[in-house]
Amino acid sequence: MKTWTTAAQRALDHELEKMRLAAAESGADPDEVLEDLRRHVTEEANASGVSVVTEDDVRRWLARVAPPWAARVESTATAPLKPVGSGGAKGTGGEVGARLLDFVLLLFGVALPLITLGIEARSHLCAREILDPLPSGWHGLLVGMVPVVHFLTWWRVGRRRTAEAGGRVSEGELRRWWVLNGWVTGVAAVYAALFLPLTPFAVVGVIFGLGLLALAPLGALVSGLVLRSRVAGACLDRRPLPRLGWWSGCVGAWVVLLLLAVPGVITQHWMQRAELALDPEAEVTDVSRRSAEVHEWVEKLRDWGDGETLLRACYGRRKGLWSVVLPEPVRIETARELHYRVTGRAFNAVPPPSGALGRVNRGWMEEFAEGGDEWDSALGGEAVAGRVRGLSMQDSRLDALANAEEGWAYVEWTMEFHNSHERLQREARAQIQLPPGAVVSRLTLWVNGEEREAAFAGRAEVRAAYQKVAVVQRRDPVLVTTCGPDRVLMQCFPIPSGGGRMRVRLGITAPMAPRGLEEGVLIWPCFLERNFALARGLEHSVWVESKQTLKAPEGLQSTADERGRSGWRGSWPDVGLGETRRNLVFLRDRTVTELWAPGPNGSEGRRVRQRWAQVMGNKPRRLALVLDGSVGMAPFYRDVASALEGMPADMELAVFLAQDGVRRVFTDLNGARAAEAVRRMEGRGGQDNVGALVQAWEWAAVEASGVVLWVHGPQAVALQPTGPLRQRLEWRGDGRGPALHEIQVRLGPDRVVEALDGLEAVQRVPRLGTVGEDLESLVAWWAGRGARWEYVREVQEGMAPGTTESGVGVSRHVTRLWAADEIRRLVRARRVSEASKLGAAHQLVTRVTGAVVLETQQQYADAGLHPVDPLTVPVVPEPRIPGLLVLGMVVLLARAKRAGVRPGARGGARRG
C-alpha cells in the first residue's frame, strides 16, 4: 500500500488540469486522456520500490508517460506546488489564513444561526417586537436547514483543498451539495433582505456587544456564497457544475417561501376587506348589501383563510415574514370578532399563537406556549380579554357541603395563581359560571399567609376601591362582581413577577336543583373564560360532605365520620367540570316539604319560611324555537329534533335559524316535520343570535301565551346591539308578552345572555341531563305531562326559631338564598338602594353589590368600606362548638395584633 503525500496528490491534480487544454487542442477527449494519465502514474507508483510517493516522484513519472503534445505545456519544475504546512513563511501564513477563514465560516454560517434560532425559540423576542421569523413549522424546518447544510457541505467538501476534495467526493455527491447550497443560500437571502433595515443598527450594536443576532441572516448568506465557490472549485479535473442546478435550488427555496406566505397574505387582505364592511363609523345606506359584503369575506375566511394569521391578529401580532410589505393589520377588536365569526370560538378559548418551535417542543417553550400577551391592556377593566404570558393557576380545590333536604349547597373554591414573568406583575381575571340561582357569599385573600375577608358594598364602590388600590397603588386586592345571570367576574392583582403567587377563595351559596321531591342536584361552578393558563396536569381536588346519600358518584371515593356525615373525595380535570356528567345527585326525604330558617339580619321575631311548591306548566299557543347556527351546535341538532317529536299537535311552531342572518326554516303544527328539518341542519362558524331572537319574539307575541325557546352555544363577541331585544322583553316582561327560555349547550361566555341580565322574562333552563333530556322535560312540562318543583321563600312574623309543627331549624344558607331572591325582586322594582343595602347586610355579590378584599385597614377606611366579621362568614368544613370558640379567640387575637393592642396592660388596652 503506497502512501501519497498531500503535495504529491496536489501536484498530480494540478499538472493534469494544465494538460486539459493541450489535450483538447490535439483532438483527443480531455477526460479520457487525463484519466489514462492518472492511471499510468498510479501504475508507475505501484511498480516502484518507494513506500511514500512525493511530489518529485509524480513529476518524474508524469514526464515518462506523457504524450508528445504534452511538451507544449509549460513546465512547472521551476515553480513547484507548495503543500500546505510544508514549511516556509508563505506556507505557514496560507495555512493560518485558511484556518481563520474556516473559523469565520463556521461562526457566521453555522454557530450564529443556530444560536439565533435557539434564542428566538426560547424568548420569541423578534416575534414580539418586530416580526415572527418562524410563523409555522415549515418555516422552522427551512431555517433549521441552513446551518445544518452549511456544516455538512464544509465537512464533505469545503474543509479540504479543492483538488483533494475533487479526488475523494463523487461527482453525483458534488451535484447534490451544489443544489442544496443553492437552496439554503436562497433561504438565507430572503431573511437577509427582510432584516436588511436592521443591519446598520446591528453593525453599530456589535461595538457594544449587541447586534450579532440581527446579523445572522446576512452571515448565513455570505457563508453560503463562500461554500458555493468551494463546491465549484472541487471540480477542477471534471466537468464544471451547471449553474442551472444551483439556481434551481435557490429559486425553489424562494417559491416554497412564497407559497407558505400566500395563505397569510390572502387572509390579511380578506380581513382588511371585512373590516371595511364592518366599520361602525361608515355611513350605511343599504344594510342588506353591507351584510352581504360581510358574509362574502367571512365565507372566504372560513373556507380558505389561515387560522394562525387570524389568531395572531387577535393579539395584535403580525403574521411574520411578509408582514413588512403588507398594509397595517386590522384592529384587534375587528380581528377578535372575525375570529369568532370564522371559527365559532372565542380567541381566548384556544391556546395563543406561539410560533413554530413553541409547538414542536412544548416542554422547552411551555412558558410562552401557555402564555400570550406580553402587555396586559385590560388591566383593571371589566373584560377577561386575552391570555397573558407567564400567568397560570397552579392549585385548585373545591370543598362542598350539601344538604338536599334543606335544598342548599355551599362550595368553597380555593385557587392559587403563579406569575413566572420575569418583569411584569399580572392580574388574574376569570368569568365563572355559578349554579342556577347561586350567589357568592364569601371572598378571602391570603396576605402574608393571613386570611383577609372581603367588604361587601355597592358595585360602584367596590370597583372604585379595587381600581385605586390595584391599578394605582399596585397593592393586593381581589374583586368579585356579577357579569350576567349566574355569572361573576373575579379579578386579583398584583401577582408579583419572578415566581410570585396569590391565593384566593370564593364561597358560593347555591340552591340545589330539585328533581322531584326525591332528589337534589349539586351543579358545580366552572370557568367560562380566563386570561391565565392551567398548570400542566392540574386537576381540581374535590371534597364533598353531606348527611344524605350521594347517588352514583363518578370518580369519587367515599368516606365517613363519627357525626354520621358521609364524604366523597377525588380529583377532576378542568375539562368538563361544569358539564352535567359532573353533577352530583343526592337522595332526600320526600316528606320534608317545609322548613324555617333564621330571619334576615337585623330583624327581630321574623323567620324565613321555605317550602317546595309544585308548578304546572302552561301550554303555549305559539312556540318560536331559535337555533344557534354556529359550528359548535352541530352535534346537538339531533337532540333538538328528538325533543320536537314530542310537541303537542295543537301547538303552532316556528323554527328560526341564526346563521349568517335569519332564516325561518319551518312554520307549522307538525312537530315531526320540524324535527326532520332540524335534523338536516349544519353548523357554520360563529353566529349572531340577536336578529333571530327579535324576529322570533315578534312572531310569538301575536299570541298572549307565546314562548321563545333559545337553544344556543357560547357567543363570545357582541356582533350587534341587544337594545331592541331588551326593550321588547322589558315592556312585555311581566307576563304580558312572550317569555324567553334559554338553554346553553356548551360552556363559554355569551355576550347576549350577559346583556339580558336582570330581566324577569328571561329564564335559564337548568342543565340536569343531556340537551335532549332537558328539552324533552321542558316540552313535557309545557304539555302538562310532568310537574316541576320550585323553592318558595318568604319572610313571616312571630314564628319561633327552631321548631314548628311543619318545619325544622335549618342553616342560614337558606336565609342567604331568600335575600338573593328578594334583591332580584327589588331590582326589578327599581328599588336599587334597598337592594344594595340588603346585599351588603347579608354579604352577597349581586347585580347591585360586589365584594373586594384590600390589604390594610387604612385602605378600607379611605374607600369607606368595612370588612366583614370573620365569625359571620360561612366556612367549610363547619366547625363544632369547641372549634367555634377557638376560631373566635384566633380572630380576636389577630384583630388585636393588627390594631397594635397589648391586652392585659394596666388601665386597659394600650396601642403600641
Side-chain angles (χ1 to χ4, degrees), residues 396-655:
S396 172
R397 56 178 286 182
L398 290 160
D399 302 277
L401 286 175
N403 194 320
E405 291 186 357
E406 298 179 7
W408 60 266
Y410 176 66
V411 180
E412 285 190 348
W413 192 351
T414 306
M415 296 166 267
E416 185 170 325
F417 300 100
H418 175 262
N419 179 16
S420 63
H421 197 281
E422 59 276 8
R423 300 184 311 276
L424 299 180
Q425 297 174 333
R426 292 305 195 190
E427 179 186 46
R429 297 184 297 273
Q431 186 180 131
I432 299 174
Q433 174 78 67
L434 303 181
V439 287
V440 172
S441 54
R442 186 183 186 186
L443 177 62
T444 310
L445 172 68
W446 276 258
V447 178
N448 298 324
E450 180 183 346
E451 295 183 18
R452 303 285 178 86
E453 297 298 333
F456 291 81
R459 183 188 186 99
E461 299 172 65
V462 296
R463 176 160 291 281
Y466 176 82
Q467 291 178 339
K468 178 180 179 181
V469 176
V471 181
V472 179
Q473 301 179 10
R474 307 186 81 82
R475 302 299 290 269
D476 288 336
V478 58
L479 173 70
V480 174
T481 54
T482 61
C483 58
D486 302 325
R487 290 166 166 84
V488 295
L489 175 65
M490 182 200 68
Q491 310 172 246
C492 52
F493 179 86
I495 305 174
S497 59
R501 294 177 180 268
M502 180 175 283
R503 190 181 185 194
V504 298
R505 173 174 57 209
L506 270 71
I508 301 168
T509 299
M512 297 191 73
R515 186 182 285 175
L517 289 176
E518 296 82 10
E519 296 176 345
V521 182
L522 168 59
I523 301 175
W524 291 99
C526 62
F527 290 124
L528 293 181
E529 60 177 339
R530 48 187 167 82
N531 76 330
F532 50 85
L534 301 180
R536 185 176 296 277
L538 175 68
E539 292 190 338
H540 302 281
S541 180
V542 179
W543 190 292
V544 184
E545 287 198 356
S546 177
K547 293 181 180 180
Q548 289 81 41
T549 302
L550 176 60
K551 181 179 179 182
E554 179 185 351
L556 297 179
Q557 299 178 359
S558 62
T559 183
D561 62 11
E562 67 277 10
R563 292 180 291 175
R565 176 178 288 170
S566 299
W568 297 268
R569 66 184 185 277
S571 59
W572 291 334
D574 186 69
V575 177
L577 178 61
E579 296 179 358
T580 56
R581 60 190 176 94
R582 297 298 187 193
N583 292 349
L584 299 185
V585 181
F586 292 87
L587 302 180
R588 67 180 304 276
D589 184 359
R590 62 174 293 116
T591 63
V592 179
T593 59
E594 185 180 46
L595 50 85
W596 299 89
N601 293 342
S603 64
E604 296 292 339
R606 304 176 68 196
R607 300 292 178 263
V608 174
R609 179 192 182 202
Q610 176 177 280
R611 58 187 176 87
W612 278 253
Q614 189 177 27
V615 180
M616 302 302 295
N618 294 321
K619 183 173 64 177
R621 294 287 302 274
R622 277 191 166 198
L623 174 61
L625 175 61
V626 178
L627 295 178
D628 180 10
S630 301
V631 65
M633 276 289 297
F636 302 99
Y637 288 139
R638 291 187 175 275
D639 292 333
V640 177
S642 299
L644 289 178
E645 292 175 349
M647 295 288 294
D650 57 345
M651 183 186 298
E652 191 174 359
L653 175 66
V655 179

Side-chain angles (χ1 to χ4, degrees), residues 208-276:
F208 303 97
L210 305 172
L212 280 177
L213 298 183
L215 293 177
L218 183 60
L221 173 61
V222 175
S223 300
L225 295 175
V226 172
L227 288 171
R228 176 185 184 275
S229 65
R230 290 196 176 184
V231 175
C235 300
L236 289 177
D237 60 337
R238 306 177 185 179
R239 289 173 297 185
L241 292 171
R243 292 185 178 181
L244 181 61
W246 188 87
W247 279 107
S248 64
C250 188
V251 174
W254 294 344
V255 171
V256 170
L257 285 171
L258 182 62
L259 291 177
L260 290 175
V262 166
V265 174
I266 294 179
T267 300
Q268 184 75 14
H269 172 68
W270 288 339
M271 290 169 61
Q272 291 165 349
R273 296 301 300 269
E275 183 179 40
L276 291 176

Side-chain angles (χ1 to χ4, degrees), residues 20 23 28-40:
R20 178 183 294 276
D29 184 354
D31 291 333
E32 182 179 352
V33 171
L34 297 184
E35 187 64 30
D36 288 342
L37 290 173
R38 185 183 295 275
R39 185 175 64 256
H40 287 311

